[in-house]
Amino acid sequence: MTQPILPNEAARRLFLARHGLLDRPRRQKLASLVDALGFVQVDSVLTLARAHDMILWSRDPGYRPPHLQTLVQGRGAFEHWTHDAAVIPMAFWPHWRHRFDRDRARFDSRWANRQGPDFRAQLDRTLRHIAENGPTRSGELAEGPRQEPGWWNWHPSKVALEYLWRVGELSIARREGFQKLYDLTERVVPEAVRTAKPALDVTVDWAASAALDRLGFATPGEIAAFWDLLTPAEAHAWAKAALARGEVEEIRVEGADGTLRRSLARPGVVEDAERLPEPSDRLRLLSPFDPALRDRARAERLFGFRYRIEIFVPAAQRTYGYYVFPILEGTRLVARADVAAQAGVVTLRALWPETRQRWGRGRTDRLMAELERVAQLAGATRIDLAEGWLRQGA
C-alpha cells in the first residue's frame, strides 16, 4: 500500500498550527495555552525577554512575565524536567512518577556515590529543614565558599535539593528573582493529583499519544524525545502496537530539500493539513527555545533553517551573536536578529536574512511593528537601530 505524502508546505503549516503559530497571536487562557503546547521551557538568559516569556507572548499578546508564576503558585502547573527545565500542566504530574523512579536509580549511582557516605544524612537534614521552615532557596542551606559552576562542584546541600526535586520528594513552590524555592511535594502538588499512580503502560500510551498529537507527525525517536519520559524502545513498541490498532498510519513527509522521511501520523492528517488556512505575512520574533525550534534537526529538515545557540561560543568565533532570535514569516523562517533591551530601549543590533531572502522596505516596516510589540513585553519605550544593522547572510 502506497504511503500518503505530506508536501513540505503542508507539513510546515500543520507543524506550526499544532504549535500555535499559524494563526495570529490572540488573547487566551494561560492554562489552556500551556496545555496545548505540552510544556514551556524555562531558561535564565535575559537579553530581551526570558525564553518562557517569549514563547507564551508569541502566542498571546496579552501575556506578561508574572502570569506564569501566578499559574505555578496557583497549582495550575508544576516545574520539572522534560528535555530541560520546564513548566508543565499540573494534571500531567502523575505521569512523571516513572521518571522520578528512573532518575532516582540513575542519580543514586551518579550523584550519591560522588557525595560520599554522608549524602543520605544530608538528604534527611534537607527534608527536615524544609518541613520545619517551608519553601527554601539553595543559598539558605549552603555552607562554606561558593563553588564553581557544574553539578560536580555543587555544595552538598544544593546536590541534595536537586536530587530530592528530580526524584519527586521536593517540588518547586515558586521562583523569586529566578531562584527556585523548594518545598515538600505534599505541600505543592494537590492531593487528588499526587495520589494518582498510573501504571507504566498507561504512562507510555499517554506520553506517546500526547506527543504525536502536538507534533502532528513524528518518528518513534521524536515521540520519545518530546517529553523525555519514554525510552526509545518504549516508543518503538508503542508505535508498532498503535499501527496494528489502526490508531496511527505511516506517511512520508517532504523536507525542505525535497527528501521524504517516513513518519507516524493520525489517519487523515494529510487531508487535515491541506485544509488549514494560509498564514498571515506578519513577522514573529521567536525565542531560540520555542517549541517549534527546540528540536534543531527537525527544524532544519522541515524549514531548511540551521540554528545553533552561540552563548558558549567565544565572541570572536560566533557566526551570528550571543543570543539571536529566529524570525518567522508565514510558514518560513526568513531571518535571524540580534536584539536586546536595556534601560527602556530595545536595540536591533543586527539582522541576517536567510539565503535568497530579499529584505526590502515592506519587511523592515513589519519588523519594526514586531519590535514595537515586543518592547511592551520587555518594558521598553523606545526602539533603536544600530548602524549597519542589516547584514548579509552568514
Side-chain angles (χ1 to χ4, degrees):
M1 182 177 178
T2 303
Q3 294 174 343
I5 293 177
L6 183 61
N8 182 248
E9 169 62 28
R12 283 187 274 114
R13 200 178 307 171
L14 174 66
F15 184 63
L16 291 173
R18 297 294 175 92
H19 286 77
L21 291 173
L22 192 66
D23 298 331
R24 284 184 174 275
R26 59 182 177 82
R27 295 292 182 95
Q28 50 194 301
K29 290 183 178 180
L30 181 57
S32 298
L33 176 54
V34 175
D35 184 274
L37 294 174
F39 60 87
V40 178
Q41 182 173 342
V42 176
D43 192 76
S44 63
V45 176
L46 178 58
T47 58
L48 178 61
R50 297 196 196 277
H52 42 284
D53 295 326
M54 283 287 293
I55 290 166
L56 296 167
W57 171 83
S58 294
R59 294 152 174 87
D60 178 355
Y63 172 83
R64 292 296 180 268
H67 296 173
L68 189 60
Q69 277 305 301
T70 299
L71 182 67
V72 171
Q73 289 181 240
R75 308 309 182 224
F78 71 101
E79 184 175 335
H80 214 271
W81 213 257
T82 54
H83 68 290
D84 210 320
V87 170
I88 307 158
M90 184 63 79
F92 299 171
W93 187 90
H95 294 296
W96 260 251
R97 284 185 173 279
H98 300 290
R99 172 141 191 178
F100 299 156
D101 292 342
R102 287 172 175 174
D103 280 353
R104 185 186 296 273
R106 185 160 57 95
F107 295 156
D108 279 349
S109 62
R110 181 186 181 192
W111 289 359
N113 291 343
R114 284 177 177 265
Q115 294 298 313
D118 186 51
F119 185 61
R120 298 295 166 183
Q122 178 69 56
L123 296 179
D124 291 339
R125 288 194 296 270
T126 300
L127 286 170
R128 186 166 55 251
H129 174 92
I130 292 174
E132 294 172 355
N133 296 279
T136 301
R137 296 177 180 83
S138 62
E140 294 171 5
L141 294 176
E143 301 173 356
R146 184 178 179 85
Q147 301 293 317
E148 294 298 318
W151 67 264
W152 53 89
N153 283 322
W154 283 348
H155 187 277
S157 61
K158 171 64 173 176
V159 178
L161 284 170
E162 288 291 303
Y163 175 97
L164 291 166
W165 173 50
R166 293 291 291 270
V167 303
E169 293 188 50
L170 294 180
S171 293
I172 306 302
R174 63 185 183 276
R175 284 184 183 250
E176 292 180 356
F178 209 71
Q179 283 191 307
K180 299 175 191 156
L181 275 79
Y182 302 82
D183 202 354
L184 301 179
T185 291
E186 65 197 57
R187 297 200 293 229
V188 175
V189 178
E191 183 178 5
V193 176
R194 199 175 64 252
T195 55
K197 298 179 179 180
L200 177 59
D201 62 330
V202 173
T203 288
V204 168
D205 184 63
W206 172 84
S209 296
L212 182 59
D213 289 340
R214 286 165 175 79
L215 291 168
F217 51 88
T219 65
E222 290 168 338
I223 288 171
F226 183 83
W227 307 102
D228 200 18
L229 288 178
L230 308 182
T231 66
E234 287 168 341
H236 277 277
W238 177 86
K240 183 177 179 180
L243 280 167
R245 294 191 298 264
E247 295 173 1
V248 301
E249 65 179 1
E250 286 191 336
I251 65 172
R252 288 184 292 168
V253 180
E254 183 184 26
D257 62 358
T259 58
L260 297 176
R261 181 179 173 86
R262 190 169 64 180
S263 294
L264 299 171
R266 298 295 187 189
V269 80
V270 172
E271 293 76 15
D272 291 343
E274 292 172 351
R275 288 191 290 266
L276 288 170
E278 291 289 335
S280 73
D281 63 354
R282 172 176 176 157
L283 294 182
R284 297 184 195 242
L285 207 63
L286 298 182
S287 164
F289 299 109
D290 194 280
L293 301 170
R294 177 190 65 81
D295 185 336
R296 307 290 190 215
R298 183 182 175 98
E300 188 168 350
R301 286 194 303 270
L302 197 57
F303 298 98
F305 185 83
R306 180 178 174 81
Y307 185 93
R308 298 294 183 271
I309 198 80
E310 296 186 285
I311 291 173
F312 303 110
V313 177
Q317 298 175 27
R318 290 174 189 150
T319 303
Y320 297 103
Y322 173 79
Y323 197 83
V324 174
F325 296 88
I327 297 179
L328 178 70
E329 179 185 57
T331 63
R332 297 186 180 280
L333 291 158
V334 296
R336 59 196 84 199
D338 184 352
V339 186
Q342 188 174 15
V345 180
V346 168
T347 302
L348 174 62
R349 298 167 173 168
L351 180 139
W352 297 267
E354 288 295 284
T355 304
R356 295 187 295 277
Q357 295 290 336
R358 296 182 58 191
W359 202 270
R361 175 65 62 85
R363 274 182 168 159
T364 297
D365 290 345
R366 285 184 281 123
L367 175 63
M368 290 302 296
E370 178 72 348
L371 292 178
E372 289 173 2
R373 289 187 287 264
V374 79
Q376 298 178 38
L377 175 70
T381 57
R382 194 174 88 238
I383 298 170
D384 282 353
L385 303 181
E387 184 177 354
W389 62 269
L390 184 57
R391 309 287 181 84
Q392 297 296 319

